[in-house]
């Protein structure tokens, strides 16, 4: 089973949203993969932001049990592929773990803006972009599995 790591800044919005959507949709295709997430700037373990929880609930995805965590060597070494939310996050991960550069990509080529501190609409825009990118990723993985 492939292990997919999603990375954002604080691991309270985008990466837990992507993780939950991936883990919700993968069994439905089915794709033999599971996701997990971390952040490059996590100062203390925190739950997902209230607006992230509310937004994902609107899409039928539960992230209420999520607790943020800092990206570490132990976490990244478990991943078969790492998807970052923005170029700045991608650069930070490359700087932290240059040996994993070959496994790093952007989840969406346009980057997914951080909704933290924004409005419900900002979270919804991020969610729509994340859901679309995760669906594309899963369909690409399914195609690779079927070879």
């Amino acid at each position: 089973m492939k292990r997919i790591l999603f990375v954002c800044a604080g691991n309270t919005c985008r990466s837990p949203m992507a993780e939950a959507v991936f883990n919700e949709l993968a069994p439905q295709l089915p794709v033999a993969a599971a996701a997990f997430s971390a952040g490059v700037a996590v100062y203390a373990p925190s739950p997902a932001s209230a607006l992230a929880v509310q937004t994902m609930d609107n899409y039928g995805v539960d992230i209420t049990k999520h607790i943020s965590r800092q990206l570490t060597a132990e976490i990244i070494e478990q991943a078969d592929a790492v998807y970052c939310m923005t170029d700045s996050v991608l650069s930070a991960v490359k700087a932290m773990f240059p040996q994993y550069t070959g496994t790093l990509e952007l989840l969406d080529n346009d980057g997914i803006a951080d909704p933290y501190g924004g409005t419900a609409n900002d979270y919804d825009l991020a969610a729509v972009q994340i859901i679309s990118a995760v669906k594309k990723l899963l369909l690409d993985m399914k195609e690779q599995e079927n070879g």
Side-chain angles (χ1 to χ4, degrees):
M1 177 172 292
K2 283 196 171 187
R3 295 194 34 93
I4 307 302
L5 174 61
F6 294 105
V7 181
C8 67
N11 192 223
T12 60
C13 303
R14 296 167 293 172
S15 58
M17 292 163 80
E19 172 188 3
V21 169
F22 187 98
N23 288 333
E24 181 85 16
L25 296 177
Q28 295 174 21
L29 284 177
V31 171
F36 57 117
S37 67
V40 295
V42 177
Y43 302 108
S46 303
S49 75
L51 280 174
V53 170
Q54 178 185 329
T55 300
M56 294 316 294
D57 187 57
N58 293 341
Y59 289 96
V61 178
D62 182 13
I63 62 170
T64 57
K65 292 179 177 58
H66 176 78
I67 300 294
S68 65
R69 61 187 183 160
Q70 175 65 35
L71 181 63
T72 63
E74 294 77 23
I75 291 171
I76 199 168
E77 71 187 13
Q78 296 173 31
D80 295 302
V82 181
Y83 292 91
C84 299
M85 299 297 152
T86 61
D87 282 323
S88 62
V89 170
L90 182 67
S91 295
V93 177
K94 284 180 179 178
M96 293 165 72
F97 303 103
Q99 68 273 34
Y100 292 102
T101 298
T103 65
L104 305 175
E105 291 183 54
L106 285 175
L107 178 58
D108 183 294
N109 288 335
D110 295 328
I112 298 168
D114 191 351
Y116 187 78
T119 66
N121 188 58
D122 295 329
Y123 278 84
D124 194 58
L125 290 172
V128 167
Q129 194 177 0
I130 288 166
I131 291 166
S132 175
V134 167
K135 283 181 178 177
K136 182 183 182 318
L137 171 61
L138 282 163
L139 289 172
D140 289 349
M141 290 176 73
K142 177 80 172 166
E143 191 173 299
Q144 288 174 0
E145 283 183 2
N146 293 337

